[in-house]
Amino acid sequence: MVQAITDIAPHADDRLQLQLLIDHVSDHAIYMLDAQGCIRSWNRGCERVKGYTAEEALGQHVGLFYGSDDRARDVPRQTLAQAEAQGRFVGEGWRVRRSGERFRASEVIEAVRQDGALLGFVKVTQDITERYQAQRLLQDAQRAREQLQQFEGVGRLTRGLAHEFNNLLTTIGTALDLIALGPAADARTRELAELAQAAADRGSLLTRQLLAFSADQTLIREPLQVARLLEDELHSLQRACPANILLRTEVPFDLPRISTDGVQLHTAVLNLLLNSCEAMPSGGTITLSAQVEERLAPDLATPTQRRYVAITVTDAGSGMPPDVAERASEPFFTTKEVGKGSGLGLSQVFGFVSQCDGFVDVQTAPGRGTTVRLLLPALEEPTHV
């Protein structure tokens, strides 16, 4: 392009026609720089792309259009030096309009020489922000699809392993029950069988977590009375806690019913209890409570007060710092050592409660323990007069 310009420039009529042509290009900024990088010409496209009038731009250094970070790294001088050394510079980057708005620019800079001496540069800039953003969106969509395919593969593998593992645990659990109930079983045998059964229960919990993660476990929702459900499961919940942990319950029987899957609710509460136990290695008390709360429904377009049954697990353990609490619901996120936790417990809790049209409220701080509330919508029972 530069060679063509220099070839036709000596003729006055051709020079005028060329100037008119350049001035009427509105979608590209085309301008001349002197050897020091100062602006010497300005077309209509420059004003549209850069936002500066000719009066504002002429005489200014080309670094005017670069961001502060690029100027600090001396990018304007380096691009001109490359164009001078190689004859041309082609690239793209973020530039700044007069309004301060950043835009993605595609740039071509060509050195103009006469008899070997550098006269200046011709610079052509095009605003490619929309194209750049479209490419980024396409790349993000492709990455998301790849991640989805990976998760689908992991989900299929997880589902198969969980089913096989669950079959083994069922056999183990049945055998342990028979051993514990056998007439020849002494106190020590029954104690060992109970410990083994607790380990089998933990394994069964893990299979339920894996099945929930692989989306192979659907909710069977039915009206349930929270107090009755927790009372029936209290023995297994206490058995899951170490001997130095006291489980205290505060669950009134006059709570309204909720519509949920009892097995999944038991799993969610068990997950929270196990987390609390691990937060108190020296022992202590965990409180399992429930009460009615009036809260704003977070997922409704119009803020609406709604009655929830809040099932709460409170411990006096180590608590979580804010950055850990923010990621606590992510699948496979865990701060435990390898082999000490799957990172699926809280993600199962959050996912299950969300499926029941509820939400989870976590209050925690380092050294102040953790309180997790499962807020499940209360069933509005018909009133009989």
Side-chain angles (χ1 to χ4, degrees), residues 101-309:
E101 176 191 7
R102 296 170 73 242
F103 69 98
R104 192 73 178 180
S106 173
E107 297 178 333
V108 178
I109 306 174
E110 296 206 27
V112 179
R113 296 181 182 275
Q114 188 173 44
D115 299 328
L118 179 68
L119 299 181
F121 304 91
V122 174
K123 185 169 184 179
V124 180
T125 302
Q126 182 182 12
D127 183 350
I128 60 168
T129 306
E130 291 184 4
R131 186 176 74 193
Y132 176 80
Q133 291 175 340
Q135 290 173 343
R136 291 296 299 271
L137 288 173
L138 178 60
Q139 291 171 356
D140 290 344
Q142 290 172 338
R143 282 195 292 267
R145 190 176 78 169
E146 291 172 359
Q147 291 177 350
L148 179 60
Q149 290 173 341
Q150 291 174 353
F151 268 103
E152 287 176 348
V154 172
R156 287 192 296 270
L157 175 62
T158 301
R159 187 161 55 246
L161 290 174
H163 281 300
E164 292 296 329
F165 190 45
N166 196 52
N167 291 337
L168 296 174
L169 288 172
T170 300
T171 303
I172 293 171
T174 302
L176 289 171
D177 287 340
L178 293 174
I179 291 172
L181 295 174
D186 56 16
R188 179 58 178 165
T189 299
R190 286 192 294 272
E191 180 184 357
L192 292 174
E194 187 169 341
L195 289 173
Q197 185 62 59
D201 290 343
R202 292 287 294 271
S204 180
L205 171 64
L206 178 59
T207 63
R208 292 197 293 273
Q209 292 173 351
L210 291 171
L211 287 172
F213 167 74
S214 65
D216 194 49
Q217 193 154 303
T218 57
L219 294 184
I220 303 175
R221 296 174 64 172
E222 57 182 343
L224 292 175
Q225 218 290 334
V226 172
R228 190 177 307 281
L229 174 69
L230 294 180
E231 183 183 42
D232 292 342
E233 302 291 346
L234 186 58
H235 176 68
S236 65
L237 294 174
Q238 179 65 73
R239 186 175 62 187
C241 299
N244 61 351
I245 296 290
L246 172 65
L247 178 59
R248 184 176 66 187
T249 59
E250 299 175 358
V251 184
F253 271 89
D254 59 349
L255 294 171
R257 295 191 300 171
I258 59 176
S259 177
T260 189
D261 185 315
V263 174
Q264 288 297 305
L265 178 58
H266 168 77
T267 301
V269 173
L270 181 56
N271 275 322
L272 297 180
L273 287 179
L274 294 176
N275 282 347
S276 292
C277 291
E278 290 172 353
M280 298 190 299
S282 301
T285 301
I286 299 173
T287 302
L288 173 61
S289 61
Q291 63 184 29
V292 177
E293 292 189 13
E294 293 277 346
R295 299 284 289 268
L296 284 176
D299 295 331
L300 298 181
T302 303
T304 305
Q305 287 282 349
R306 189 172 185 178
R307 282 207 314 165
Y308 292 90
V309 175

Side-chain angles (χ1 to χ4, degrees), residues 268-269 271-273 275-276 286-290 293 295 309-316 319-320 325 328-329 345-347 349-350 353 359-364 368-375:
V269 173
N271 275 322
L272 297 180
L273 287 179
N275 282 347
S276 292
I286 299 173
T287 302
L288 173 61
S289 61
E293 292 189 13
R295 299 284 289 268
V309 175
I311 302 172
T312 305
V313 176
T314 303
D315 66 59
M320 293 182 285
S329 63
L346 280 178
S347 68
V349 173
F350 277 75
V353 174
F359 61 98
V360 180
D361 181 25
V362 180
Q363 298 175 0
T364 184
R368 298 184 180 181
T370 299
T371 296
V372 182
R373 308 156 84 86
L374 313 183
L375 290 115

